Amino acid sequence: MQVASKARGLVRVLRTPTFLNSDRFICLDIPSIEAPSHSSRQQWRPHSAFSAPSLPFPGMIGRRIEQLCSMSTATEALSSMEGCPTEAAKELYDKMLSSVTAKTMPPNAWLWSLIEKCANHEDIELLFDIVHKLRLFRQYALRIYENFNCHLCQEIARACVRVGALDFGKKTLWKHNIHGTTPSIASAHHLLLYAREHNDVKLMAEVLKLLRRNDLPHQAGTADIVCSICYNVDNWKLFSTLAKRYINAGVKLRQTTFDMWMEFAARIGNTKSLWKIEKLRSDMMKKHSLTTGFSCAKGFLLERKPDIAVAIIQILIQDLPEAKRAGVMVELQKLINEWSLEVVKRQKEKNRKALAAALRTDIPIMVTGLQNMGLKLNINMEELAL
């Protein structure tokens, strides 16, 4: 009775061919990971099933598993039209397919090796095809219904990003999929880091949508990568929107995220937002970093309060470790020859002359105040070309 039931189930699965690029399995409404250890790679192995020499099947189920393996012919024909997989990947794929055809589970190391050897989009197609076949083999032959573990799926996502197969990489974030992959934040980070490297805001938005649709939790690391993308593409509005969304979700932002956020606000001259961000930062962490401290000093300069800017820098120097105090001189020089010009350019044209005149007056007052406190400053004021 059970054999007949399993056979009917397998028939239903095998009636429809496998289309690797099919998007019908999820509906979207778009609004550093270490390599796993040897022990973690064994987690998805079902006891001794991987090393079992053979598994006898009743006639109907055995024939259906052979039919499953024969489906590779159509897949290979499609791949040959689009491009050719590498010899190393094809060899491993064929070995694993032969093993499944012979009704034995291929060694765990073969799958990991295939992941590592993927070098182009066609290799990734073979990888996803064999993972799909292994999933069905596990379900119908070994009665293992769980997805593959997160470590394996992270490496699959990493391989997709490495060869630029982003369409497959996004599929690793699907909660319901035909391949048995387990979505995780770590897999999403591989895609987001690729988006940051290429300043790809569209990809970032797609990944964030997949995280939301597949109930993956908000994390500080994700916020840091996402905000850095917005910072790199100079999108203040998107940066602020996403940062606030993470805070409202209960995420404690990292110091590096606040560094970017406050530096961005000071760079565009938005003191109103700067003080709001500073309030959020002070609620989460006690001391300033070099970047947030100088961002506050810039905010007071914009408000024509150079004396308070001096006091902020003095406190910052006292709180900083000795090894980081040399950075104060670097930040002061950048304030003079980079920030002062940048913030003036970002103002409305009718306000630029007034701000430039104010900074020409207040920045030297701040520098003099620091020198009067006993700080030995080697600052070139001639670079204050406002």
Side-chain angles (χ1 to χ4, degrees), residues 52-123:
S54 63
L55 292 172
F57 301 104
M60 177 64 74
I61 296 181
R63 287 193 297 272
R64 292 308 179 189
I65 289 179
E66 291 174 357
Q67 181 181 349
L68 163 67
C69 297
S70 68
M71 291 159 53
S72 63
T73 303
T75 302
E76 291 175 2
L78 179 62
S79 296
S80 64
M81 294 173 60
E82 297 178 348
C84 297
T86 61
E87 183 177 349
K90 186 63 167 61
E91 181 180 353
L92 281 166
Y93 172 85
D94 289 340
K95 287 169 62 177
M96 297 176 72
L97 186 62
S98 298
S99 180
V100 174
T101 305
K103 308 179 184 64
T104 60
M105 195 67 180
N108 190 18
W110 288 2
L111 182 55
W112 282 97
S113 182
L114 177 58
I115 294 171
E116 293 172 358
K117 292 181 182 299
C118 284
N120 58 33
H121 196 281
E122 287 70 30
D123 289 352

Side-chain angles (χ1 to χ4, degrees), residues 33-56:
I33 307 301
E34 295 294 330
S37 64
H38 176 74
S39 59
S40 67
R41 296 184 180 187
Q42 305 299 324
Q43 292 178 6
W44 71 286
R45 180 161 64 179
H47 304 293
S48 61
F50 278 29
S51 58
S54 63
L55 292 172

